[in-house]
Amino acid sequence: MTEPSSSPSPIRPADLPVSAVLGLSDKGEFDWGRLRGLQYTALAKLAFYRIFVHAILAIFVAQIYVGKIGLPVMAAWIALLAGIHWRGTRIDLSLADADRRRVSRGEFTRQATTAVLSGIAWAAGIVSFPFFGSPGDLMALLMIVVILASGSVFFYTAAPFGIVCFTAIICLAAIVHLALVGMWFGAVAMMLFMIVVLLGTVEVGRTFLAARFAEAAVAEKEQVVSLLLREFEENEADWLWEVDTNRRLRSVSPRFAFALGRPQVEVEGMPLLELVAGRAWASGQFPASLHDLAERLRSRENFSNMLVQVSILGEERWWELSGTPTRDDRGRFTGFRGVGSDVTEQRKSSEKIAYLARFDTLTQLPNRLQLTEALGESLRYAEQWRSRCALLMVDLDRFKSVNDSLGHMTGDKLLAQVSARLKSLMGENQLCGRLGGDEFAIVIRDLHKSEEVSRLAKRVIERLSEPYQVDQHTLYVGASVGSAMGPRDGKTVEELMRNADLALYRAKDAGGGEHRSFEPVLHASAEERRQLEVALRKALGRDEMELHYQPVVDSRSEQVVSFEALVRWNSADHGFVSPGKFIPLAEDTRLIVPIGKWVMRKACEEARNWPDHVKVNVNVSPEQLLEPGFHEEVVEALAATGLRPERLEVEVTESIFLRDASVARNALEQVMALGCSVALDDFGTGYSSLGYIRKLRFSTIKVDRTFVQGAAQGSAESLAIINAVVAMAKSLDMTTTAEGVETADEAELIRNLGCDKIQGYYFGRPMRSEDAQRLFDNPRQLRA
């Protein structure tokens, strides 16, 4: 950007010395050529008035003395004056552009010469003409001298040096004549008059020059502002706008015309509001922002950064406008002037950011922020109107298995379908959203009856449990719902969400596909769970864990062939804790990993003391199996205890294949490569996959106790399943173990169905290691 020239600093009259005013010196901080230029630029405008005044006064003098000195002399004198002033007028007209350039010394001298020659011509008449006239004629001539001197001071201030020269010459001429005729008092008075006029000339010239300095500074500042505004429009996205008193555009810039989508000539003089209202102008249905703009223009108020919705050639845009009323020198309102910019893209970005802050991008449902805001508003409404609200927490059952087996892309598509189903169930005063993962929430703003919550929860479970079609897969997931009502179950958002979450946990704990409402007792359960977790984290360090062993016998000989290691916890704080309570807690908190590692080492250590043909079965959780170094833990346990690998049988459930099937398969294959065997526990109760049974050479398939009890009760289905499992295992060279055998009849039935091994209370409950050791010393105690 071009650097504008510096504006002159403000000049006070007292700052200008006499020499600078008269142009006699170019020393000091003032630019002589610039000073003369500022002075002489006004001479062109005064040239006509000067020659006119001199002509009138010369004619007046001729009228007095022409009859006394003769026409030829008077004509010669007038001709001389006319020639001098004709020359001076030409010089003055040549100085019309002096303010835009520097005045030379030669121009200064030529201009001053005119004043000197004019003074000499007048002085000749002033000295000589009165000798031929009366005293009255002298008084008239002296009046003309006064007029010439005074008029020059007030109407010819642009050339103070010329005024000084002219005034001094004519006043001295008058003094000389008055002295020659003995009018001494008149001569002194004229002397005093001359001094006053000369001093006045200097002061008036000084003031005039200071004023010209100020005018030049203002003009230069206006040029700088114009330059900056022009560069602003050329280099920035903003534009200038201006309207008159009728709100019609004027001085339309190219950039503003471009913003309007029309040529400059076309929009000049058109109403601003009509141009930006588009089709709404005819109907009068303007956006609220346009009404605000019209009101500001009407009331002549300043406005800044006003967002205005406009229509440009049928396209909706957003402008940001600032404007200030303009007034003329007399303070009269002349319109508005301001700056504007198109902020459509910025507004779209802001709206997108605002949307992303409040909506879930995957499901397009309200996110946690908006849900918590809605819940907070519902609680305030309930408190104000003595009503109720409710929060339902919805969690998908078995969604993780879909995600792990089919990938996150499929999982995301499933979540999108779930959200669409949830949204279709919403009624008045109901809002559903996604909290994260596979967890959703529903806010009921004005709850009339508590039964509405149960009915809605039932519809949600039923609708979400229907099959889904995703990428040619038919998927089945269910839903669990926990609910809490405000303000009964919580007066704040945090309390209500925590309590609904506790109810959801209870629903999940019941097996899924259930709805549970919050009850105060759940707080006690949650606190108990928290305390259990704290104690469980310390259990291994306190040596509170121990292993019990349940015998597995050969179905024919009833001899012990292995023991299943089962972990027990006798807490110092809570006493004996049921495995059904602390095992799920350990899996949820991943404490099952260090506990499982301890179980593996301890079981191998105990089995080292048993007969060589007896194996030890160790249960391994999915969390354990999916650990990167699982097979290394098995190697360390075997190496540390000296147990042969073929005496260790790892038991896994089918759920491991629903997490990360490839990792699970690799881990089990590495364990088998060591020489250990692998048993598939609880077969038939989960997502049985013959494909994995075929690919992984399991040594044993364990038939769940539910089928054993069903068969004992004559269930054809259970009998068929056991027969099928036995047949499949034999064809794949695998053994079968029936769990949960509690009576002699059940043992006989299982034996007849062809199962190879039996496990259950009939042959022995889980026992301490020393009790297990006694079985080998006295086999008759087996069914004691």
Side-chain angles (χ1 to χ4, degrees):
M1 179 171 131
T2 306
E3 186 72 26
S5 61
S6 303
S7 301
S9 58
I11 298 294
R12 296 175 298 169
D15 294 335
L16 295 169
V18 175
S19 60
V21 174
L22 298 180
L24 299 177
S25 173
D26 59 356
K27 296 180 180 179
E29 58 178 318
F30 301 103
D31 187 342
W32 186 91
R34 179 166 175 76
L35 289 177
R36 302 293 77 76
L38 293 174
Q39 287 177 321
Y40 289 175
T41 185
L43 292 176
K45 300 177 183 178
L46 299 172
F48 172 77
Y49 297 105
R50 184 178 67 170
I51 197 169
F52 176 76
V53 170
H54 277 265
I56 294 297
L57 293 177
I59 292 172
F60 189 69
V61 171
Q63 185 67 30
I64 296 173
Y65 291 105
V66 68
K68 300 177 176 65
I69 62 174
L71 183 59
V73 175
M74 186 57 66
W77 180 75
I78 290 176
L80 176 62
L81 275 177
I84 292 171
H85 284 284
W86 176 78
R87 173 185 177 275
T89 299
R90 291 182 59 191
I91 293 174
D92 289 348
L93 291 176
S94 69
L95 296 171
D97 61 345
D99 61 337
R100 297 189 296 274
R101 61 182 179 85
R102 296 173 59 83
V103 174
S104 66
R105 287 284 183 177
E107 289 174 315
F108 174 76
T109 303
R110 287 193 296 274
Q111 201 285 327
T113 300
T114 299
V116 172
L117 293 176
S118 177
I120 292 173
W122 277 100
I126 292 168
V127 172
S128 59
F129 292 167
F131 287 112
F132 301 97
S134 63
D137 296 337
L138 176 60
M139 293 304 297
L141 184 59
L142 290 176
M143 288 297 296
I144 291 173
V145 171
V146 171
I147 291 172
L148 282 171
S150 302
S152 298
V153 172
F154 293 105
F155 298 105
Y156 206 56
T157 54
F161 181 72
I163 297 172
V164 168
C165 294
F166 176 76
T167 301
I169 291 172
I170 62 174
C171 286
L172 286 173
I175 291 169
V176 168
H177 179 82
L178 290 172
L180 290 175
V181 297
M183 299 177 67
W184 297 105
F185 286 104
V188 172
M190 183 58 70
M191 178 66 74
L192 293 174
F193 172 74
M194 181 184 71
I195 293 172
V196 170
V197 169
L198 292 178
L199 291 175
T201 299
V202 173
E203 289 305 315
V204 171
R206 180 183 281 127
T207 302
F208 172 80
L209 190 55
R212 291 296 297 151
F213 255 114
E215 291 176 5
V218 171
E220 189 167 346
K221 286 180 179 178
E222 289 180 350
Q223 290 178 356
V224 171
V225 170
S226 298
L227 174 63
L228 292 175
L229 290 177
R230 187 164 59 251
E231 289 204 10
F232 171 77
E233 280 214 277
E234 289 175 355
N235 300 323
E236 300 292 336
D238 296 8
W239 26 260
L240 304 174
W241 62 274
E242 187 174 354
V243 295
D244 58 19
T245 54
N246 295 319
R247 307 175 200 171
R248 294 179 177 272
L249 291 175
R250 65 186 181 193
S251 304
V252 178
S253 64
R255 190 174 290 277
F256 186 30
F258 178 78
L260 290 168
R262 304 189 184 190
Q264 283 179 267
V265 179
E266 182 180 335
V267 298
E268 188 76 32
M270 290 188 67
L272 172 62
L273 293 177
E274 180 180 348
L275 281 171
V276 299
R279 299 187 184 95
W281 179 257
S283 63
Q285 302 296 320
F286 305 143
S289 57
L290 269 185
H291 280 291
D292 292 342
L293 175 62
E295 180 60 26
R296 295 294 182 91
L297 294 176
R298 186 190 64 79
S299 57
R300 301 176 183 178
E301 296 178 1
N302 291 336
F303 56 90
S304 178
N305 301 327
M306 177 186 283
L307 277 177
V308 181
Q309 185 180 357
V310 299
S311 178
I312 305 299
L313 301 180
E315 181 184 2
E316 296 299 323
R317 310 287 296 177
W318 284 91
W319 286 359
E320 188 176 77
L321 298 177
S322 299
T324 305
T326 56
R327 302 184 183 277
D328 59 15
D329 296 338
R330 299 182 182 179
R332 293 178 299 186
F333 175 71
T334 58
F336 264 85
R337 181 184 296 124
V339 64
S341 60
D342 191 315
V343 294
T344 305
E345 296 305 320
Q346 295 93 311
R347 184 172 177 85
K348 286 181 180 177
S349 298
S350 300
E351 290 176 348
K352 185 175 182 181
I353 291 171
Y355 179 85
L356 293 175
R358 297 175 60 79
F359 286 88
D360 178 62
T361 54
L362 175 62
T363 63
Q364 312 306 315
L365 291 179
N367 62 7
R368 179 180 289 271
L369 172 63
Q370 190 175 168
L371 283 169
T372 54
E373 289 177 354
L375 184 57
E377 177 59 30
S378 300
L379 285 169
R380 287 189 290 271
Y381 180 88
E383 183 180 1
Q384 179 180 358
W385 298 103
R386 304 293 183 184
S387 61
R388 292 177 296 176
C389 62
L391 173 66
L392 286 75
M393 304 276 272
V394 182
D395 190 82
L396 298 183
D397 301 330
R398 303 181 298 276
F399 173 76
K400 186 170 178 57
S401 62
V402 174
N403 232 11
D404 293 338
S405 59
L406 299 178
H408 292 285
M409 292 290 290
T410 302
D412 289 347
K413 292 177 182 179
L414 176 60
L415 286 177
Q417 291 191 29
V418 168
S419 64
R421 292 187 184 185
L422 264 182
K423 199 170 184 180
S424 68
L425 295 173
M426 295 301 101
E428 186 179 2
N429 290 327
Q430 297 175 354
L431 175 71
C432 68
R434 184 185 179 206
L435 295 175
D438 61 343
E439 194 169 6
F440 298 82
I442 300 171
V443 177
I444 303 178
R445 186 170 186 265
D446 188 12
L447 182 66
H448 299 291
K449 297 181 180 179
S450 58
E451 291 80 10
E452 292 180 31
V453 177
S454 299
R455 287 198 297 268
L456 179 59
K458 183 179 179 181
R459 292 202 309 271
V460 167
I461 293 172
E462 290 176 351
R463 187 74 177 96
L464 298 189
S465 298
E466 295 175 3
Y468 298 84
Q469 291 295 327
V470 180
D471 293 339
Q472 300 177 351
H473 296 285
T474 300
L475 305 177
Y476 294 87
V477 295
S480 300
V481 180
S483 64
M485 283 191 289
R488 185 194 70 185
D489 298 332
K491 295 182 179 180
T492 66
V493 171
E494 292 76 14
E495 287 180 359
L496 209 56
M497 294 190 76
R498 182 180 68 245
N499 293 340
D501 199 40
L502 288 174
L504 175 63
Y505 182 81
R506 174 62 65 89
K508 297 286 285 186
D509 201 37
E514 298 286 342
H515 166 233
R516 292 290 185 271
S517 299
F518 171 76
E519 299 171 3
V521 70
L522 294 180
H523 270 306
S525 299
E527 179 60 20
E528 180 189 6
R529 177 183 169 87
R530 187 191 67 80
Q531 293 179 0
L532 275 179
E533 180 182 343
V534 172
L536 186 59
R537 291 184 181 278
K538 302 175 182 177
L540 287 178
R542 291 177 173 180
D543 198 24
E544 295 176 351
M545 294 287 183
E546 64 175 322
L547 290 183
H548 284 197
Y549 302 91
Q550 186 174 25
V552 179
V553 301
D554 182 274
S555 62
R556 300 298 175 185
S557 66
E558 296 187 356
Q559 294 297 311
V560 175
V561 294
S562 67
F563 281 95
E564 181 177 1
L566 301 170
V567 66
R568 296 292 183 261
W569 179 26
N570 190 11
S571 171
D573 300 325
H574 303 279
F576 178 78
V577 183
S578 167
K581 184 176 287 187
F582 78 82
I583 293 296
L585 177 61
E587 289 180 338
D588 289 345
T589 57
R590 288 187 56 80
L591 290 172
I592 195 66
V593 175
I595 292 175
K597 185 176 181 179
W598 176 86
V599 168
M600 179 74 69
R601 175 73 66 93
K602 189 68 175 175
C604 291
E605 182 180 322
E606 293 289 346
R608 185 72 177 80
N609 300 320
W610 302 338
D612 289 345
H613 68 279
V614 179
K615 292 185 177 183
V616 62
N617 302 348
V618 179
N619 291 284
V620 175
S621 74
E623 296 293 336
Q624 240 184 307
L625 188 63
L626 297 179
E627 282 287 300
F630 172 70
H631 76 285
E632 295 175 1
E633 292 181 10
V634 176
V635 171
E636 290 176 4
L638 294 173
T641 61
L643 186 71
R644 298 199 316 273
E646 58 268 19
R647 293 186 60 195
L648 174 63
E649 186 168 68
V650 174
E651 291 192 11
V652 295
T653 61
E654 296 168 329
S655 60
I656 62 170
F657 301 114
L658 301 177
R659 293 282 300 276
D660 194 329
S662 60
V663 173
R665 180 181 174 184
N666 290 336
L668 292 177
E669 286 177 346
Q670 288 176 327
V671 170
M672 291 178 183
L674 295 174
C676 303
S677 55
V678 178
L680 183 60
D681 199 4
D682 299 336
F683 181 75
T685 60
Y687 300 89
S688 303
S689 173
L690 299 180
Y692 287 116
I693 292 177
R694 180 179 57 82
K695 291 177 182 177
L696 279 171
R697 304 298 297 176
F698 291 103
S699 61
T700 303
I701 296 179
K702 301 187 77 171
V703 180
D704 190 70
R705 62 189 302 272
T706 56
F707 300 120
V708 173
Q709 293 175 353
Q713 295 170 4
S715 170
E717 182 180 292
S718 297
L719 287 168
I721 290 175
I722 295 176
N723 280 321
V725 172
V726 170
M728 177 187 67
K730 287 182 177 179
S731 66
L732 294 175
D733 197 22
M734 300 177 186
T735 61
T736 52
T737 300
E739 296 180 302
V741 175
E742 298 181 355
T743 67
D745 292 338
E746 290 177 356
E748 186 62 27
L749 173 63
I750 291 302
R751 188 179 296 112
N752 293 333
L753 288 174
C755 286
D756 301 299
K757 290 174 285 188
I758 301 175
Q759 179 180 353
Y761 285 176
Y762 177 67
F763 290 103
R765 291 175 178 271
M767 59 192 73
R768 296 177 182 274
S769 60
E770 53 268 24
D771 295 331
Q773 185 66 42
R774 290 195 192 100
L775 290 180
F776 303 115
D777 300 334
N778 188 4
R780 294 179 181 179
Q781 295 181 354
L782 188 60
R783 291 195 297 274

